[in-house]
Amino acid sequence: MYEGQSFSTKYSSYCKQRTRRKQRARRRLLAVVLVVCAAALVLVLSDKILPIEVWATPEKDIKEIDFAVIQEQESEPEEEPVEEEAVIKKAPLVFIDAGHGGNDGGCAEDGIIEKDINLTIAELVRDKLKEMGYDVAMSRSVDKYVAKEERVKKANDINADIYVSIHQNSSDERSVNGMEVWYDGTDTQRDSRRLALLVSQQTAKSTGAVEREVRGDADFHVTGSTQMPACLVETGFLTNREERKKLASTDYQEQIALGIVQGIEYYFHPKTMYLTFDDGPSEENTTRVLDILKERNIKATFFLVGENVERYPEIVRRIAREGHAIGIHCYNHDYKKLYDNAKNYVEDFERARQVVYEVCGVQAQMFRFPGGSINSYNKEVYTKIIEEMTSRGYVYYDWNASLEDAASSVAPEKLLANGVETTKGRKKVILLAHDVIYDTGTILEELLDKFPEYEMLPLSEKVEPIQF
């Protein structure tokens, strides 16, 4: 018979030992965890406390610790957001060139010398620009001769933003009067043409002088060798008796200076025009319009007719490809059916919108009512249409200027005059035109020349709409 401990006794003893071992292991693990936590806490506290000198030094006692400050620091994020440096806008630097000077008097008549008038006007321009916050450099500020090469070199060396040279004119024909502005049209990299147009337009407006011509065939060193946009303005003819008398007067010189300054102001801070075209595309006329816009790097907005989109899909793709904005005009230009009820209008719109999307991938959100948002066809339903379309997230745009080219048999000159007159100098203009009208394409380039004070931009849903 086996005389040792029984199996049950041994098993009971084994279980007790195993339990004691587990308890000891738990205690050791807990101790390790406590040590690690304590170490971590010390590190955290030391990171917070060290910056305010917890440890006493010969100069400070530990009692000086402000625990309120510690608590406040602990509540703040460890990494403070870095503030972006303020963007400092540099004022435009305008170079004003008072033509001639010293032993070079320029043209003269009845004791009135060009160099003197040039300098007086230049000084007036300088003072007005400085009051407006511009930086100004002068080719000369006293009656001395400065070579044209030296004038240009100075402007180039200081990296002037624009160059305006002031002169007076003369002619063998004593009856000739008015102002001329010249620029180098062979250099398309500089925006000299727009500068010349603005100086001419605004000076003629402020003085009432005859605006003779803006000429791009200037063969002057100051317009051809400058690195910045440059123009030369002949403010009048000293050989014309009446104009000479004006040019010598303080009031008229002030008016000239005001015009030049306003032209410069519009050059740097233009107003805004949204050029819009309805009813297209047209195979012939829309292509002409797009060619002109592309040459001038102008982006416009086209409110398209769905049926025409289906006829000329490639033109629509070109409109989108060249960066113009696209809106919906309608699918079918049947006013009676379109405005019979709100349901008809919405269905017509959605059909046109789907066609545009299938052709060029544009999900148009903008639209323009045929005839405008309020017209003789939709008086009974326009409020319901607007409510429904707005609820769907669409935005409609009317206009505050127009060529009035939808009317029949309007002469090109009249279209041009309509466009200029209806803008009324507004700061923000949405101009209505129709790219399906032949004469609209005919006068478009001349029309654009009439608006150098405007920056031409395409519409978007972010633009606050003009609505009737």
Side-chain angles (χ1 to χ4, degrees):
M1 183 177 186
Y2 181 64
E3 295 181 351
Q5 294 178 317
S6 66
F7 176 78
S8 61
T9 303
K10 288 183 178 180
Y11 183 74
S12 176
S13 176
Y14 167 76
C15 287
K16 290 179 181 179
Q17 291 176 0
R18 188 176 64 176
T19 300
R20 287 194 294 271
R21 284 197 298 270
K22 285 183 178 180
Q23 289 174 344
R24 286 195 296 270
R26 288 195 191 98
R27 287 195 292 270
R28 283 195 296 268
L29 179 61
L30 179 60
V32 172
V33 169
L34 289 173
V35 170
V36 171
C37 290
L41 181 62
V42 169
L43 288 174
V44 171
L45 289 176
S46 65
D47 184 55
K48 300 293 183 182
I49 294 172
L50 280 174
I52 58 171
E53 299 184 13
V54 170
W55 306 108
T57 67
E59 292 79 15
K60 291 190 177 182
D61 191 270
I62 196 167
K63 292 180 181 180
E64 294 179 0
I65 300 172
D66 187 346
F67 288 99
V69 173
I70 296 175
Q71 187 176 11
E72 182 180 351
Q73 287 185 348
E74 288 179 346
S75 65
E76 294 175 355
E78 292 185 9
E79 292 187 5
E80 300 259 344
V82 179
E83 293 185 6
E84 295 184 3
E85 294 184 7
V87 178
I88 301 175
K89 292 184 178 180
K90 179 184 174 184
L93 174 54
V94 179
F95 193 93
I96 301 298
D97 173 25
H100 305 283
N103 58 6
D104 176 12
C107 61
E109 197 77 26
D110 287 345
I112 298 175
I113 306 173
E114 178 186 353
K115 65 174 183 177
D116 298 332
I117 299 177
N118 295 343
L119 182 57
T120 300
I121 295 173
E123 288 174 333
L124 289 169
V125 171
R126 175 198 62 197
D127 295 344
K128 294 179 188 302
L129 287 173
K130 284 188 173 182
E131 288 176 5
M132 296 168 67
Y134 288 87
D135 292 331
V136 182
M138 299 273 285
S139 63
R140 66 181 182 95
S141 55
V142 295
D143 182 19
K144 73 171 185 177
Y145 174 76
V146 180
K148 57 183 180 294
E149 293 82 5
E150 186 178 341
R151 299 169 193 246
V152 169
K153 184 178 185 303
K154 180 179 178 181
N156 290 341
D157 286 347
I158 64 174
N159 293 317
D161 292 297
I162 61 171
Y163 187 111
V164 178
S165 187
I166 299 171
H167 288 259
Q168 309 306 308
N169 218 335
S170 66
S171 174
D172 293 336
E173 296 183 21
R174 299 279 172 164
S175 62
V176 175
N177 68 325
M179 59 175 295
E180 294 177 342
V181 182
W182 301 69
Y183 71 99
D184 179 10
T186 64
D187 185 353
T188 58
Q189 300 302 310
R190 296 180 293 161
D191 200 9
S192 297
R193 185 170 188 271
R194 179 169 169 264
L195 176 63
L197 287 168
L198 281 167
V199 169
S200 179
Q201 177 200 63
Q202 296 302 314
T203 306
K205 185 180 295 185
S206 67
T207 61
V210 174
E211 193 175 3
R212 288 173 54 84
E213 191 176 3
V214 174
R215 302 187 57 168
D217 56 342
D219 189 21
F220 308 130
H221 188 75
V222 295
T223 54
S225 298
T226 40
Q227 296 171 354
M228 67 291 303
C231 70
L232 184 149
V233 52
E234 304 268 13
T235 67
F237 283 80
L238 290 180
T239 47
N240 181 287
R241 185 177 62 182
E242 293 183 3
E243 195 156 67
R244 179 171 66 249
K245 184 178 179 181
K246 289 181 179 180
L247 291 166
S249 73
T250 302
D251 289 345
Y252 196 73
Q253 292 168 355
E254 177 80 12
Q255 291 170 15
I256 292 172
L258 282 171
I260 294 173
V261 168
Q262 188 59 65
I264 291 171
E265 170 68 3
Y266 280 143
Y267 180 85
F268 290 105
H269 305 104
K271 296 181 283 187
T272 305
M273 177 175 285
Y274 300 95
L275 186 61
T276 67
F277 296 93
D278 286 7
D279 292 356
S282 158
E283 185 174 24
E284 178 182 6
N285 298 313
T286 303
T287 299
R288 292 169 67 210
V289 167
L290 288 171
D291 289 344
I292 292 169
L293 296 177
K294 183 177 181 179
E295 183 179 355
R296 293 181 176 237
N297 194 29
I298 291 174
K299 308 303 179 188
T301 303
F302 291 80
F303 290 98
L304 304 176
V305 173
E307 288 183 334
N308 292 338
V309 171
E310 290 175 331
R311 291 189 186 100
Y312 310 113
E314 190 51 46
I315 297 177
V316 175
R317 284 190 278 270
R318 179 184 173 184
I319 290 171
R321 185 171 62 248
E322 294 183 358
H324 302 289
I326 291 178
I328 303 301
H329 198 40
C330 60
Y331 179 81
N332 182 284
H333 228 295
D334 184 344
Y335 278 53
K336 187 174 180 180
K337 180 180 178 182
L338 190 65
Y339 292 127
D340 184 62
N341 54 66
K343 182 174 180 292
N344 280 6
Y345 185 90
V346 173
E347 288 178 352
D348 178 276
F349 171 87
E350 293 293 356
R351 184 179 181 186
R353 185 173 184 267
Q354 183 61 30
V355 168
V356 168
Y357 176 70
E358 291 173 355
V359 167
C360 66
V362 172
Q363 292 274 21
Q365 297 296 118
M366 301 181 295
F367 71 102
R368 172 171 284 161
F369 287 90
S373 59
I374 303 174
N375 59 67
S376 58
Y377 292 89
N378 70 2
K379 289 181 179 179
E380 303 298 325
V381 295
Y382 77 89
T383 55
K384 293 180 180 178
I385 294 173
I386 291 172
E387 182 179 346
E388 178 62 27
M389 293 294 286
T390 302
S391 71
R392 293 171 178 240
Y394 302 129
V395 184
Y396 73 93
Y397 292 82
D398 288 314
W399 58 89
N400 59 357
S402 174
L403 300 188
E404 299 177 19
D405 52 352
S408 59
S409 303
V410 181
E413 311 84 59
K414 180 59 177 173
L415 296 180
L416 189 63
N418 290 341
V420 173
E421 291 168 6
T422 57
T423 61
K424 297 180 179 179
R426 295 183 181 93
K427 189 172 182 180
K428 172 185 173 181
V429 173
I430 295 182
L431 179 63
L432 170 65
H434 294 78
D435 53 314
V436 296
I437 304 299
Y438 182 83
D439 282 336
T440 298
T442 302
I443 59 99
L444 183 56
E445 288 197 83
E446 191 174 356
L447 177 74
L448 296 174
D449 284 345
K450 297 292 184 182
F451 300 123
E453 72 271 36
Y454 287 95
E455 180 182 18
M456 304 281 182
L457 297 174
L459 284 172
S460 75
E461 298 81 15
K462 297 180 181 179
V463 176
E464 183 178 357
I466 288 172
Q467 298 171 341
F468 296 159

